């Protein structure tokens, strides 16, 4: 084939040499706008795993790169005068210029034609000039080829919130180093690492807001660098910061990172009559990943490896090979970009974590992308993690020297102590008769308590007959129900180490429906009761009943019902009370602008929409002295609905009204929702509410194993983790996870033989 690569960065050069290795008869031309052996930038970094991929693809260039790189295992996090160092991370640093020089030399050795100082303005003209069969657009983050065909490639470009400047220094850092410094303008952070003998990369990053407050946008290049030198003088040991972008002036060297995603990576053109020539995006032209996870160069090189392999295995079918390339690489890139998004947002919000202790701040940073979990840290540096676990346990009051993972540390609030951080989440069972819990509820809740959770929560419990979701839902509006609940709470208190909580709620417009395993959210065939909501809007248009807009007099009645239910919960022996203010039920319907279209003092602004739910919280707080949590929908997943930004304000307001904790769920407010699911997908919402609103939180949503629970709790993203589906399939989930990881936890005495057999069987595997 005749192949032309537009752009002589890592992607274009590496693909060129690999295609020459695959078939020396291929003619490969790399066209680069810069001069030979001239490049901009300092060091680049990638992992040991990436180098392993390079060794498989081309051992010769990999060996040359290996001989030039700086390797380190350690990460240093400097925060509030403390340095936390952890090891086992495996990074490689090499000068960008050196890397490109190595790839250029290898290309020349293999017969790749390098054309320098040529600015490609017309990709089709270049294709005609070299009679190209394949055109590679490896022309970087500001790709002109991508822009020319943007209607086909469908790029989504998101300029992120931070400004950064890529500098160098002769100060040598012996670990991948993160520095955090705060002045009167805000937080600045540095990503620093050695990339060659006598030189380190020194990237300074801060939010756009802080950058403007500091006036760097008005400074000369020299003054901006001097500002950074002064701020980070304690770590520079007298060395200067150096810029190598001399062609840029002043604030122009400070840029915002553009996150690039493309819907398509291949476009077929006809530069010559009758000949279809594909234009293929590669490297930064196709996608970007934030430098905080060091994956830009990795992605570019691995793009080249996969495209070469896809063409080889397609049997000469170019279309088939390119389809395979996009299919495989788009999935892999999406994984990296998801991790990069999490990492980017962490660095954009350092102020969110400024109240964390240095030890927890470092843990949060290391696990920010969700690619590195608690147990993965143990594999990397077991000593560091064990020391951290000991520190974390001590913060919770653990005095024993026994190893206690974060999941098993106690949690204290208002005189109640949970013996671990796992909660059996409220889950509708639809098994009651006249709102009375029966043997099913005793066995269901009791078995989860016996199974080792710290707190078991009832399903949403109705405060009145017309507050139920279905006829099968439990209630606590009369003495008979209180007596039945006492039977459950007595069993849990007498036979287990768990605490038990009750979730109180009013179904609102989502009431009077069929059970969940029937036609969910649809009205019953008969005997439906009238509904109320913030506004007269049915849940399912043309299907659900239309509720009556709740009047102020009715609000008073509902508040009284919540208060009466809270008093009955006290009598029934509950340790914890939660108010259901999410998922489109009555209190939630006031909070969301999708369901609240009132024009009185209870509608309009978020402050007004919160007025009634806050009145309920305040009233319940007056009669309930034990822990009080509130479940909310942190986002509606609908344009125009409640956002996570709103949820932070909601958390602040509820804390002021008397809530001890926010249970951070999402959605179910509108059937038009478009949630984005994934593992721990709601945890970032909990993280924001906890660390911005300053209130403890419960994380929920696709948390499925103890490693995830440990990561969430240890990082300070949440204080408790609530699980539903894992505990529906395995009531003893906590005990089984503890056995799997070898953690000591107390089993019920009658189950001791089962514990011994399980532990022994796990050891023999």
């Amino acid at each position: 084939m005749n192949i032309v690569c537009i752009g002589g960065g890592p992607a274009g050069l590496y693909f060129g040499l690999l295609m020459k290795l695959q078939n020396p008869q291929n003619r490969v031309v790399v066209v680069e706008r810069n001069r030979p052996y001239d490049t901009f930038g300092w060091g680049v970094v990638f992992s040991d795993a990436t180098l392993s991929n390079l060794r498989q693809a081309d051992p010769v260039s990999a060996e040359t790169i290996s001989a030039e790189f700086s390797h380190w295992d350690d990460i240093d996090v400097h925060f509030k005068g403390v340095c936390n160092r952890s090891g086992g991370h495996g990074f490689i640093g090499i000068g960008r210029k050196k890397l490109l020089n190595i790839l250029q030399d290898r290309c020349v050795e293999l017969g790749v034609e390098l054309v320098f100082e040529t600015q490609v303005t017309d990709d089709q003209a270049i294709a005609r000039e070299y009679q190209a069969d394949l055109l590679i657009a490896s022309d970087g983050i500001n790709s002109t080829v991508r822009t020319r065909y943007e209607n086909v490639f469908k790029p989504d470009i998101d300029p992120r919130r931070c400004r950064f400047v890529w500098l160098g220094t002769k100060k040598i850092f012996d670990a991948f180093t993160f520095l955090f410094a705060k002045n009167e303008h805000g937080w600045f952070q540095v990503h620093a690492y050695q990339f060659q003998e006598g030189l380190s990369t020194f990237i300074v990053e801060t939010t756009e807001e802080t950058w403007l407050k500091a006036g760097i946008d008005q400074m000369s290049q020299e003054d901006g660098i001097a500002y950074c030198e002064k701020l980070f003088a304690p770590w520079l040991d007298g060395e200067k910061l150096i810029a190598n972008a001399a062609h840029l002036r002043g604030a122009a060297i400070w840029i915002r990172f553009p996150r690039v995603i493309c819907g398509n990576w291949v476009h077929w053109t006809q530069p010559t009559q009758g000949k279809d020539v594909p234009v293929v995006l590669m490297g930064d032209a196709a996608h970007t990943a934030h430098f905080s996870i060091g994956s830009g160069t990795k992605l570019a090189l691995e793009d080249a490896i996969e495209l070469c392999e896809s063409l080889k295995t397609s049997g000469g079918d170019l279309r088939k090979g390119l389809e395979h390339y996009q299919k495989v690489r788009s999935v892999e890139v999406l994984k990296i970009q998801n991790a990069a998004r999490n990492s980017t947002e962490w660095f954009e919000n350092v102020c969110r974590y400024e109240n964390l202790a240095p030890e927890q701040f470092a843990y949060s940073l290391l696990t920010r992308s969700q690619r590195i979990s608690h147990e993965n840290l143990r594999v990397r540096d077991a000593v560091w993690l064990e020391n951290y676990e000991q520190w974390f346990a001590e913060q919770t009051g653990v005095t024993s020297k026994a190893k206690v993972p974060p999941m098993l540390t106690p949690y204290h609030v208002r005189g109640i102590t949970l013996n671990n951080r796992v909660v059996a989440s409220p889950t509708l069972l639809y098994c009651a008769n006249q709102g009375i819990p029966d043997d099913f509820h005793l066995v269901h809740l009791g078995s989860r308590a016996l199974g080792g959770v710290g707190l078991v929560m009832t399903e949403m419990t109705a405060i009145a007959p017309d507050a139920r979701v279905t006829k099968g839902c439990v209630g606590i509006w009369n003495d008979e129900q209180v007596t039945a609940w006492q039977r459950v709470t007595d069993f849990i208190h007498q036979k287990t180490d768990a605490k038990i909580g009750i979730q109180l709620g009013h179904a609102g417009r989502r009431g009077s429906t069929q059970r969940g395993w029937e036609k969910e959210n649809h009205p019953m065939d008969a005997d439906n009761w009238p509904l109320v909501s913030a506004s007269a809007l049915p849940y399912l248009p043309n299907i659900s009943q239309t509720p009556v807009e709740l009047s102020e007099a009715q609000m008073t009645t509902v508040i009284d019902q919540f208060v009466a239910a809270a008093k009955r919960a006290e009598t029934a022996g509950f340790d914890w009370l939660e108010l259901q203010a999410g998922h489109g039920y009555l209190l939630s319907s006031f909070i969301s602008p999708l369901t609240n279209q009132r024009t009185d003092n209870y509608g309009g602004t978020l402050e007004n929409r919160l007025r009634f739910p806050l009145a309920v919280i305040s009233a319940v707080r007056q009669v309930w002295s034990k822990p009080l949590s509130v479940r909310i929908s942190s986002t509606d997943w609908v344009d125009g609905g409640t956002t996570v930004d709103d949820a932070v304000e909601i958390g602040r307001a509820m804390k002021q009204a008397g809530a001890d904790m926010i249970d951070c769920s999402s959605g179910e407010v509108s059937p038009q929702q478009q949630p984005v699911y994934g593992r721990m997908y709601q945890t970032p919402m909990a993280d924001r509410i906890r660390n911005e609103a300053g209130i403890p939180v419960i994380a929920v949503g696709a948390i499925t194993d103890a490693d995830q629970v440990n990561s969430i709790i240890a990082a300070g993203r949440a204080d408790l983790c609530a699980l539903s589906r894992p505990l529906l399939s395995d009531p003893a989930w906590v005990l089984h996870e503890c056995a799997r990881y070898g953690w000591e936890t107390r089993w019920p005495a009658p189950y001791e033989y089962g514990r011994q057999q399980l532990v022994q069987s796990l050891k023999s595997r």
Side-chain angles (χ1 to χ4, degrees):
M1 286 195 298
N2 291 337
I3 302 166
V4 176
C5 299
I6 301 173
L13 291 170
Y14 201 59
F15 179 69
L17 71 87
L18 291 180
M19 289 303 291
K20 268 297 198 180
L21 283 170
Q22 186 179 110
N23 185 351
Q25 299 305 310
N26 288 330
R27 183 190 183 191
V28 183
V29 181
V30 178
V31 184
E32 169 58 40
R33 64 181 179 179
N34 293 316
R35 295 174 299 176
Y37 305 105
D38 187 16
T39 186
F40 302 100
W42 294 96
V44 296
V45 62
F46 43 83
S47 67
D48 287 346
T50 302
L51 184 60
S52 177
N53 293 335
L54 299 185
R55 286 196 175 101
Q56 293 182 29
D58 178 25
V60 175
S61 61
E63 186 60 33
T64 308
I65 292 169
S66 297
E68 295 290 341
F69 64 61
S70 298
H71 181 275
W72 64 92
D73 284 321
D74 296 334
I75 290 179
D76 282 356
V77 181
H78 294 256
F79 180 67
K80 294 182 178 177
V82 177
C83 176
N84 274 278
R85 170 172 288 198
S86 64
H89 300 285
F91 290 106
I92 297 164
I94 187 171
R96 177 174 168 79
K97 183 174 182 177
K98 176 61 69 174
L99 175 64
L100 292 184
N101 290 170
I102 291 170
L103 297 179
Q104 289 164 355
D105 288 344
R106 181 66 168 147
C107 282
V108 170
E109 178 185 338
L110 293 171
V112 176
E113 301 171 41
L114 304 181
V115 180
F116 292 99
E117 298 184 78
T118 301
Q119 180 72 49
V120 176
T121 57
D122 187 344
D123 58 283
Q124 298 300 285
I126 284 288
R128 289 191 295 270
E129 179 179 348
Y130 292 101
Q131 299 181 350
D133 301 304
L134 175 62
L135 200 61
I136 302 297
S138 51
D139 52 341
I141 204 165
N142 298 310
S143 170
T144 56
V145 178
R146 184 189 66 220
T147 301
R148 179 176 184 179
Y149 303 114
E150 61 183 352
N151 61 320
V152 175
F153 292 129
K154 302 185 186 320
D156 176 2
I157 303 175
D158 177 19
R160 299 303 306 181
R161 290 182 52 218
C162 281
R163 290 274 180 173
F164 71 95
V165 57
W166 206 294
L167 303 171
T169 180
K170 293 181 180 179
K171 160 69 179 178
I172 301 306
F173 296 92
D174 63 351
F176 197 113
T177 302
F178 294 102
L179 310 174
F180 295 87
K182 185 179 184 181
N183 63 12
E184 67 274 19
H185 303 126
W187 283 98
F188 290 78
Q189 57 259 12
V190 164
H191 312 240
Y193 52 89
Q194 181 182 1
F195 65 89
Q196 68 182 48
E197 187 71 26
L199 279 175
S200 296
T201 290
F202 199 90
I203 306 171
V204 183
E205 181 185 29
T206 189
T207 62
E208 175 91 354
E209 180 184 12
T210 299
W211 185 73
L212 292 172
K213 283 182 180 178
I216 300 175
D217 60 316
Q218 302 299 317
M219 295 181 188
S220 66
Q221 176 174 305
E222 294 75 16
D223 288 345
I225 293 175
Y227 182 96
C228 295
E229 284 178 353
K230 180 179 179 182
L231 184 60
F232 291 101
W235 296 280
L236 287 170
D237 295 336
E239 294 291 350
K240 296 291 186 181
L241 295 177
I242 313 163
N244 71 354
H247 61 295
L248 298 176
R249 290 291 177 262
I253 65 171
W254 290 80
I255 60 175
R256 293 167 65 187
F257 184 86
R259 191 274 292 131
V260 177
I261 297 174
C262 288
N264 295 305
W265 295 16
V266 180
H267 173 47
W268 288 83
T269 64
Q270 286 190 327
T272 57
Q273 188 172 5
K275 180 180 179 180
D276 293 341
V277 176
V279 179
V280 182
L281 298 181
M282 186 181 292
D284 283 349
H287 46 69
T288 60
H290 193 257
F291 56 82
S292 63
I293 62 170
S295 293
T297 303
K298 162 193 167 69
L299 289 177
L301 296 173
E302 291 180 349
D303 279 356
I305 293 171
E306 178 55 47
L307 179 53
C308 187
E309 186 64 24
S310 293
L311 295 177
K312 179 181 178 180
T313 57
S314 65
D317 187 332
L318 191 55
R319 287 185 181 271
K320 181 180 178 182
L322 294 179
E323 287 174 2
H324 185 265
Y325 161 70
Q326 177 172 333
K327 180 180 179 180
V328 172
R329 286 304 294 158
S330 61
V331 172
E332 291 304 310
V333 167
L334 182 60
K335 294 177 183 177
I336 295 293
Q337 286 187 320
N338 285 339
R341 181 195 64 238
N342 294 334
S343 180
T344 304
E345 291 179 354
W346 194 95
F347 282 104
E348 289 174 341
N349 294 281
V350 170
C351 61
R352 181 185 300 163
Y353 307 107
E354 65 181 354
N355 293 322
L356 297 181
E359 293 84 356
Q360 192 168 45
F361 184 89
Y363 184 101
S364 177
L365 184 152
L366 292 173
T367 58
R368 67 195 181 278
S369 71
Q370 294 187 4
R371 288 193 303 172
I372 297 177
S373 70
H374 193 78
E375 291 306 313
N376 186 259
L377 284 175
R378 196 183 307 280
V379 171
R380 294 172 183 237
D381 191 339
V383 173
W384 182 88
L385 186 66
E386 287 173 7
N387 287 336
Y388 180 76
E389 287 180 334
Q390 184 68 39
W391 174 87
F392 188 90
E394 289 172 356
Q395 308 313 300
T396 67
V398 174
T399 57
S400 168
K401 294 302 180 182
K403 296 178 182 178
V404 181
M407 185 181 93
L408 297 183
T409 57
Y411 185 74
H412 315 279
V413 55
R414 289 188 182 267
I416 296 293
T417 296
L418 307 182
N419 66 353
N420 65 57
R421 305 301 185 100
V422 181
V423 179
S425 193
T427 305
L428 290 172
L429 303 174
Y430 313 109
C431 293
N433 182 21
Q434 299 298 317
I436 301 171
D438 59 15
D439 288 349
F440 187 93
H441 299 85
L442 173 65
V443 173
H444 171 78
L445 296 170
S447 62
R448 274 76 194 164
L450 286 168
V453 299
L455 173 66
V456 59
M457 294 293 301
T458 73
E459 63 195 279
M460 186 174 81
T461 304
I463 58 173
D466 60 355
R468 290 174 294 171
V469 177
T470 74
K471 281 187 174 180
C473 290
V474 292
I476 191 166
W477 64 79
N478 62 40
D479 292 342
E480 187 178 3
Q481 294 160 348
V482 170
T483 300
W485 280 123
Q486 280 179 316
R487 182 165 171 254
V488 177
T489 62
D490 284 348
F491 175 84
I492 288 173
H493 290 148
Q494 293 168 12
K495 302 297 183 181
T496 82
D497 295 328
K499 303 297 182 186
I500 180 168
I502 184 169
Q503 187 189 77
L504 301 181
H506 190 302
R509 70 175 189 159
R510 296 193 65 187
S512 192
T513 63
Q514 300 179 41
R515 289 172 170 82
W517 54 75
E518 298 169 340
K519 293 186 70 174
E520 189 176 19
N521 291 317
H522 283 61
M524 296 181 293
D525 293 333
D527 301 323
N528 288 282
W529 55 83
L531 304 180
V532 294
S533 187
S535 297
L537 301 169
Y539 186 71
L540 297 177
N542 303 316
I543 295 175
S544 301
Q545 292 184 66
T546 299
V548 172
E549 180 175 291
L550 199 68
S551 68
E552 291 195 41
Q554 290 172 309
M555 289 182 205
T556 300
T557 299
V558 170
I559 291 173
D560 290 343
Q561 289 171 336
F562 270 105
V563 168
K567 291 178 179 178
R568 291 192 181 96
E570 174 71 34
T571 303
F574 286 99
D575 306 298
W576 191 290
L577 191 149
E578 180 166 284
L579 299 176
Q580 172 59 280
H583 300 166
Y585 298 120
L586 181 61
L587 300 185
S588 171
S589 73
F590 276 82
I591 297 172
S592 173
L594 300 175
T595 51
N596 184 340
Q597 298 182 5
R598 303 172 73 103
T599 58
D600 60 6
N601 291 334
Y602 295 90
T605 65
L606 178 60
E607 180 182 7
N608 281 355
R609 300 198 309 271
L610 280 170
R611 192 182 301 274
F612 176 57
L614 294 181
V616 172
I617 296 171
S618 297
V620 170
R621 178 82 282 172
Q622 294 299 311
V623 300
W624 180 262
S625 61
K626 298 175 186 176
L628 174 62
S629 58
V630 183
R631 173 165 281 208
I632 66 170
S633 289
S634 303
T635 177
D636 293 343
W637 299 111
V638 179
D639 287 342
T642 300
T643 66
V644 184
D645 287 340
D646 295 326
V648 172
E649 298 305 316
I650 292 167
R652 287 195 181 104
M654 289 182 172
K655 177 183 179 182
Q656 189 172 359
D660 297 306
M661 181 171 280
I662 301 298
D663 189 350
C664 304
S665 189
S666 70
E668 296 188 51
V669 172
S670 166
Q672 280 74 49
Q673 67 177 5
Q674 294 183 310
V676 180
Y677 294 116
R679 60 191 181 94
M680 301 180 287
Y681 71 105
Q682 293 173 155
T683 297
M685 306 173 197
D687 185 350
R688 283 200 60 189
I689 294 167
R690 180 185 192 270
N691 292 301
E692 291 183 31
I695 183 171
V697 300
I698 304 172
V700 303
I703 301 169
T704 58
D705 63 47
D707 192 17
Q708 294 171 350
V709 175
N710 277 329
S711 300
I712 292 167
I713 300 302
R717 297 186 176 99
D719 301 274
L720 302 174
C721 289
L723 287 70
S724 178
R725 288 173 175 83
L727 287 168
L728 289 178
S729 62
D730 182 4
W733 179 91
V734 172
L735 300 180
H736 293 159
E737 286 291 276
C738 289
R740 179 161 73 101
Y741 285 103
W743 302 329
E744 291 294 329
T745 189
R746 195 166 79 88
W747 285 52
Y751 295 172
E752 175 60 21
Y753 289 136
R755 183 195 69 80
Q756 293 176 8
Q757 183 183 53
L758 177 60
V759 170
Q760 189 61 40
S761 66
L762 289 170
K763 285 181 178 179
S764 64
R765 287 181 183 178

